[in-house]
Amino acid sequence: MTVESSDVIVVGAGVMGTAAALHLAKAGARVRLFEQFAIGHARGSSHGASRIIRLAYPEPEYVRLAQAAFALWRDLESESGAHLLHRTGGLDFGAPDALGLAEIGANYRAMGVEFEALSGEEITRRYPRIKPPAGSIGFFQPDYSMLAADRCVRTAAAQAQHHGAQLHENEAVRRISARNDSVIVHTDRGDYHAARLVIASGSWVLPQLRALGVDLPLVVTKEQVLHMTARNPSDFEIGRFPLFIHRFAGTTVLGSGFPLLGHRAPKFIYDRIGAVVDPGDPDRAIDQKNLEVARDYALGVIDGLTGDVAEAISCRYTMTPDEHFVIDTHPQHAHIVIASPCSGHGFKFGSVIGQILSDLALRGTTAHDISLFKLARFGALA
């Protein structure tokens, strides 16, 4: 039996889905948010203590979106009373021909973003624990911050519920039936009707889209995050150790490091090297080979680490070939909004992407520039 209709159903309660539900509910829509596990679970891409938010992008479209995201995260802090943003300052460094590095500096200059250009030696003088390879150059940008990731997701969900959204935790969507002007979402507990649908289900999105006639070239990889103990942990506190992203020539692989937040040891990632996995694969075991690659990387550029791994975490990246997001309406059903906005760098934009998804669901358009993210670039119809 079909239950009482909603205006919008959102599938997936990671950072994108919870933010979309919040913006929809604040706009006065009757919203249902479905999550197959508990909100805040560790099986997807939105969990953990921290994520980077930065203005350091080669494309100006992302810089503008990040500026909007910063403002909306601050709005959520004000509305909820939760502390979500932790300003740390941050570095991008690498060889002069590192992919995207020169473009980041050019965007800073062209868009009036505050920054400092530094040599590798200047980076080490300022932050003695960081040892960029010889010949490196870099940029310091003071707005770089950490988002308290788990808290962001839970806060957005709680605020969505406060504004009237109905949360359906531990209720997996089994099938979606698209009608000309509405949808029916089928779960083990019932059938739910809505005028509009937002699909933001992370690494589970591909089979759901294929069932709706859209086939995207998405690849799910299993990436490793590690926390390595420090000889003197205070050296890695906020204010003494910045966020950093190490960029390389000819590859989108990134090395990154985080000061202490929510863990007793600093966090390091060497990503985009993970094994390809099936979206439904339940295995979250640590890939020891790739964990060792990340460990060796961190030991090579950071002084003061013991080499002992205090904690290791598995995370899913859902990648497009160009690493740009997918944010668009269904080619045949304009009342269905499709979101796969991660490719390993999406969390920071959750606040503004939630607003964009709400805009598309309720009005069919948004004031934000999402031209990079259209389905048409893939010829997505199955």
Side-chain angles (χ1 to χ4, degrees):
M1 177 182 296
T2 302
V3 302
E4 182 180 352
S5 292
S6 303
D7 295 320
V8 189
I9 286 174
V10 179
V11 179
V15 67
M16 306 302 171
T18 54
L22 171 57
H23 283 283
L24 286 161
K26 289 177 70 174
R30 296 173 299 152
V31 186
R32 292 182 187 272
L33 174 62
F34 286 86
E35 170 52 56
Q36 63 180 320
F37 306 115
I39 290 174
H41 68 84
R43 297 176 176 89
S45 306
S46 292
H47 59 286
S50 59
R51 292 291 190 282
I52 292 175
I53 181 167
R54 55 186 163 92
L55 302 177
Y57 270 93
E59 303 86 0
E61 294 90 341
Y62 285 111
V63 180
R64 288 190 286 269
L65 276 181
Q67 289 169 329
F70 264 111
L72 287 167
W73 285 122
R74 293 187 188 104
D75 287 348
L76 183 55
E77 284 187 317
S78 297
E79 294 167 9
S80 66
H83 189 189
L84 307 177
L85 276 166
H86 300 261
R87 196 167 189 255
T88 64
L91 292 162
D92 287 81
F93 65 82
D97 62 346
L99 191 65
L101 191 58
E103 291 82 358
I104 288 169
N107 276 341
Y108 283 164
R109 294 181 184 96
M111 302 177 76
V113 174
E114 181 184 357
F115 80 103
E116 296 177 72
L118 301 171
S119 68
E121 293 78 12
E122 288 170 326
I123 290 171
T124 300
R125 280 197 293 272
R126 184 175 297 188
Y127 298 109
R129 294 304 177 200
I130 302 178
K131 309 291 186 184
S136 293
I137 62 170
F139 303 111
F140 175 81
Q141 208 289 309
D143 295 312
Y144 250 91
S145 300
M146 284 194 290
L147 287 162
D150 286 336
R151 193 179 305 151
C152 287
V153 173
R154 293 192 175 97
T155 300
Q159 288 299 107
Q161 189 172 40
H162 172 74
H163 287 282
Q166 296 186 51
L167 275 51
H168 294 250
E169 294 185 77
N170 299 300
E171 186 169 358
V173 171
R174 301 301 182 188
R175 185 165 56 91
I176 298 167
S177 300
R179 296 177 171 181
N180 289 334
D181 60 354
S182 62
V183 297
I184 298 177
V185 169
H186 308 270
T187 77
D188 292 337
R189 299 182 193 172
D191 299 337
Y192 301 87
H193 176 271
R196 298 171 180 85
L197 175 71
V198 174
I199 302 176
S201 45
S203 59
W204 293 272
V205 75
L206 192 55
Q208 292 174 341
L209 294 181
R210 284 176 175 162
L212 292 169
V214 174
D215 194 12
L216 294 176
L218 301 178
V219 173
V220 179
T221 64
K222 181 181 178 182
E223 306 288 343
Q224 310 305 312
V225 177
L226 68 93
H227 293 263
M228 202 181 312
T229 57
R231 295 189 184 93
N232 184 5
S234 66
D235 288 345
F236 294 87
E237 292 175 350
I238 293 173
R240 299 186 67 184
F241 187 79
L243 285 164
F244 74 80
I245 293 180
H246 187 180
R247 299 173 182 271
F248 306 94
T251 178
T252 62
V253 170
L254 299 173
S256 56
F258 295 63
L260 295 172
L261 179 69
H263 291 269
R264 61 186 178 87
K267 170 180 167 181
F268 300 97
I269 307 172
Y270 191 79
D271 64 1
R272 293 166 174 79
I273 63 169
V276 175
V277 296
D278 183 82
D281 186 350
D283 180 18
R284 298 299 187 275
I286 299 302
D287 183 323
Q288 291 297 330
K289 179 181 177 182
N290 285 344
L291 188 70
E292 284 301 311
V293 171
R295 176 182 174 275
D296 291 345
Y297 163 74
L299 289 172
V301 296
I302 302 298
D303 186 29
L305 300 175
T306 67
D308 296 331
V309 176
E311 183 179 357
I313 302 166
S314 176
C315 185
R316 298 295 171 96
Y317 283 17
T318 305
M319 308 291 292
T320 59
D322 58 13
E323 297 194 9
H324 295 321
F325 306 152
V326 174
I327 305 173
D328 206 349
T329 54
H330 191 289
Q332 296 175 332
H333 303 288
H335 55 288
I336 297 177
V337 180
I338 295 168
S340 184
C342 290
S343 286
H345 66 112
F347 191 102
K348 67 183 71 65
F349 298 104
S351 59
V352 68
I353 289 175
Q355 184 180 68
I356 291 168
L357 299 178
S358 175
D359 290 344
L360 294 177
L362 297 180
R363 301 198 302 271
T365 187
T366 180
H368 296 284
D369 182 1
I370 57 171
S371 55
L372 281 179
F373 312 140
K374 295 295 185 179
L375 285 164
R377 72 190 196 271
F378 298 128
L381 282 176

